[in-house]
């Protein structure tokens, strides 16, 4: 009895683990896993690299303050008339300060002021984590300690495959959603066409009925049918016949005289298009350019860049080229506004790469269909020649 109880417990635990694993590899689970992994990286790299950055900045600040004090004191201690001695004292202290700066640069000092500018804030570390697993690698922020470099390699080994899985999965889901919305737009278009045709057909039927009664010698009082054609209460047979002639000249009667067949043809066309709906490449390119345009506007306002520079940064980032020659430099500070900018930049990159994966998915499908169509065209041509 005890063995059965233990087996049932083990079975429940195994099933629970399977459910957790299945959830993490679902669409929502993958999103949560990637974001959670990036947050974990932010915590780790901030804890490892943050104190090192603060220590180096503090050392440089202390050396600079010491050099200023030495120069100030030398002005009073050294004979003011002896310029050589004063210059020698100041020069020696400047050399000491230069040595401290060079040592700090080798350890990762980048010239930022202690307590005012820092790369390894939580949001900065989060953006660094994203640039690692997305392989963008701007290079403006990099691990300086041996522990940080080792953790970066281990972090990338797990994070890059996870990110590729995320982009493949989410890109496929977004492609299905986009395809569904495109299909709905096609349905809406044909519904509007059908509504327009039915409305025109009903209008023509009222006009034909009205004119046929008048041609048999009946006078018709003003009603809704007359008003619908813009004829006043004093309309007579000649006016109505003139209206009909004008309509016939416009071929309205010819086009809409049989609404049943027309509606059937519209429905057949809609069904044929919805059966094998594919998003046009032009719409895919327009969507991607629109997203790049949004990012271009944002960074142009933030950084004061030109339109081309902003578009260049967004394109280089989303294609994971990441030269690093452009980066939101004004965001590298400890102010709340700068931290918000880093968060928005991270979200823009993460969603943008998923959108890019969706566009590649849709474009690939369209290219495959076009290639298949061309192959069938040539195959049928060869059969005709035979």
């Amino acid at each position: 009895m005890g063995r059965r109880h233990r087996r049932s417990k083990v079975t429940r635990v195994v099933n629970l683990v399977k459910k957790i694993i299945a959830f993490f590899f679902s669409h929502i689970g993958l999103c949560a896993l990637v974001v959670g992994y990036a947050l974990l990286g932010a915590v780790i790299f901030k804890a490892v690299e943050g104190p090192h950055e603060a220590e180096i900045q503090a050392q440089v600040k202390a050396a600079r303050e010491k050099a200023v004090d030495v120069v100030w004191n030398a002005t009073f201690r050294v004979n003011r008339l002896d310029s050589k001695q004063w210059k020698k004292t100041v020069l020696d202290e400047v050399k000491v300060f230069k040595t401290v700066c060079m040592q700090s640069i080798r350890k990762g000092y980048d010239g930022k002021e202690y307590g005012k500018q820092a790369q390894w804030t939580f949001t900065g570390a989060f953006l660094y984590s994203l640039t690692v697993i997305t392989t963008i690698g701007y290079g403006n922020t990099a691990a300086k300690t041996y522990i940080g470099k080792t953790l970066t390699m281990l972090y990338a080994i797990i994070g890059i495959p996870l990110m590729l899985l995320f982009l493949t999965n989410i890109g496929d889901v977004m492609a299905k959603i986009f395809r569904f919305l495109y299909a709905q737009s096609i349905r809406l278009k044909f519904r509007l066409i059908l509504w327009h045709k039915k409305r025109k057909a009903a209008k023509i039927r009222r006009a034909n009925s009205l004119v046929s009664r008048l041609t048999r010698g009946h006078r018709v009082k003003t009603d809704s049918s007359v008003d619908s054609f813009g004829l006043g209460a004093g309309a007579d047979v000649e006016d109505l016949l003139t209206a009909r002639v004008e309509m016939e000249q416009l071929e309205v009667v010819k086009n809409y005289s049989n609404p049943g067949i027309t509606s059937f043809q519209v429905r057949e066309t809609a069904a044929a298009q919805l059966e094998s709906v594919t998003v046009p490449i032009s719409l895919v390119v327009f969507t991607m350019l629109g997203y790049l345009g949004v990012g271009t506007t944002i960074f142009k306002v933030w950084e004061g860049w030109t339109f081309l520079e902003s578009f260049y940064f967004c394109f280089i980032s989303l294609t994971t080229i990441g030269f690093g020659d452009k980066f939101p430099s004004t965001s590298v500070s400890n102010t709340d506004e700068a931290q918000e900018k880093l968060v928005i930049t991270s979200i823009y990159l993460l969603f943008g790469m998923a959108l890019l994966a969706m566009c590649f998915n849709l474009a690939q499908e369209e290219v495959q269909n076009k290639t298949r169509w061309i192959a069938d065209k040539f195959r049928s041509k060869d059969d005709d020649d035979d």
Side-chain angles (χ1 to χ4, degrees):
M1 189 72 179
R3 289 182 179 178
R4 290 181 181 176
H5 185 65
R6 283 195 297 271
R7 285 180 183 176
S8 63
K9 278 189 175 181
V10 171
T11 304
R12 285 198 297 269
V13 171
V14 170
N15 291 334
L16 179 62
V17 172
K18 287 182 179 179
K19 289 180 180 179
I20 293 174
I21 294 174
F23 170 76
F24 277 121
F25 283 93
S26 64
H27 304 319
I28 300 175
L30 270 176
C31 294
L33 192 59
V34 168
V35 174
Y37 192 72
L39 291 173
L40 176 64
V43 173
I44 293 173
F45 290 116
K46 180 178 183 297
V48 173
E49 295 294 327
H52 175 73
E53 180 186 31
E55 181 183 355
I56 292 176
Q57 290 180 347
Q59 288 177 358
V60 174
K61 181 180 179 182
R64 183 175 63 242
E65 291 176 351
K66 180 183 175 184
V68 172
D69 291 338
V70 169
V71 173
W72 175 257
N73 293 329
T75 303
F76 294 97
R77 287 189 291 103
V78 179
N79 188 350
R80 301 179 187 179
L81 300 178
D82 191 351
S83 62
K84 291 183 179 180
Q85 185 180 2
W86 187 89
K87 289 179 180 179
K88 181 179 181 304
T89 303
V90 173
L91 182 61
D92 291 340
E93 187 57 33
V94 170
K95 287 181 179 179
V96 172
F97 176 65
K98 184 180 72 174
T99 302
V100 173
C101 287
M102 292 302 298
Q103 291 175 350
S104 300
I105 290 171
R106 292 190 186 99
K107 294 179 181 179
Y109 179 68
D110 53 4
K112 292 182 174 58
E113 188 66 25
Y114 175 74
K116 295 181 180 179
Q117 291 178 307
Q119 291 181 330
W120 294 105
T121 58
F122 181 80
T123 52
F126 181 78
L127 183 58
Y128 172 77
S129 302
L130 280 182
T131 58
V132 171
I133 62 178
T134 57
T135 70
I136 296 176
Y138 289 118
N140 64 307
T141 303
K144 303 300 189 301
T145 63
Y146 290 113
I147 297 176
K149 291 176 180 178
T150 304
L151 289 174
T152 298
M153 291 186 288
L154 296 175
Y155 187 78
I157 289 173
I158 301 174
I160 292 175
L162 179 64
M163 191 67 188
L164 292 175
L165 181 63
F166 164 78
L167 292 177
T168 302
N169 191 289
I170 299 303
D172 184 58
V173 173
M174 292 178 66
K176 289 179 180 178
I177 295 173
F178 196 88
R179 198 179 297 110
F180 171 78
L181 294 176
Y182 180 70
Q184 291 300 112
S185 68
I186 293 177
R187 287 192 179 92
L188 178 61
K189 181 184 76 171
F190 283 108
R191 284 173 184 169
L192 291 175
I193 292 174
L194 284 173
W195 175 80
H196 181 68
K197 288 182 179 296
K198 290 178 180 178
R199 180 171 168 271
K200 281 286 186 180
K203 196 172 183 180
I204 296 305
R205 282 195 297 269
R206 288 196 303 269
N208 286 337
S209 176
L210 180 62
V211 173
S212 62
R213 289 199 304 269
L214 289 174
T215 53
R216 287 195 299 266
H218 296 287
R219 292 298 295 254
V220 180
K221 296 181 180 181
T222 303
D223 57 5
S224 58
S225 299
V226 175
D227 292 337
S228 64
F229 287 95
L231 299 176
D236 54 10
V237 178
E238 293 181 0
D239 294 332
L240 293 171
L241 288 174
T242 302
R244 184 178 182 183
V245 170
E246 291 178 353
M247 291 189 329
E248 287 177 349
Q249 290 175 349
L250 295 173
E251 296 185 353
V252 177
V253 175
K254 179 181 177 181
N255 292 332
Y256 299 105
S257 59
N258 196 340
I261 296 177
T262 305
S263 300
F264 177 76
Q265 291 174 346
V266 171
R267 290 192 182 94
E268 285 291 313
T269 305
Q273 290 193 17
L274 292 172
E275 185 177 354
S276 58
V277 60
T278 55
V279 181
I281 293 181
S282 57
L283 182 58
V284 173
V285 173
F286 179 78
T287 302
M288 198 64 234
L289 288 177
Y291 191 76
L292 286 172
V294 171
T296 299
T297 304
I298 292 174
F299 291 107
K300 184 178 183 299
V301 173
W302 281 355
E303 301 298 320
W305 294 339
T306 63
F307 183 85
L308 179 60
E309 289 174 335
S310 301
F311 187 86
Y312 169 81
F313 169 76
C314 295
F315 181 84
I316 292 299
S317 299
L318 294 182
T319 53
T320 71
I321 297 173
F323 288 123
D325 54 338
K326 283 291 178 185
F327 189 78
S329 56
T330 56
S331 299
V332 185
S333 63
N334 296 338
T335 62
D336 293 338
E337 183 181 359
Q339 300 306 305
E340 289 176 2
K341 289 181 180 179
L342 286 176
V343 171
I344 294 174
T345 301
S346 302
I347 295 173
Y348 178 81
L349 293 178
L350 188 60
F351 185 78
M353 292 191 67
L355 186 68
L356 189 65
M358 179 202 76
C359 291
F360 279 134
N361 190 312
L362 295 172
Q364 181 182 7
E365 181 181 345
E366 180 68 8
V367 169
Q368 287 176 349
N369 291 336
K370 292 291 185 183
T371 304
R372 195 178 300 112
W373 178 81
I374 293 173
D376 293 339
K377 200 80 171 175
F378 277 104
R379 193 178 296 112
S380 61
K381 185 178 180 180
D382 293 338
D383 293 340
D384 294 338
D385 293 339
D386 294 340

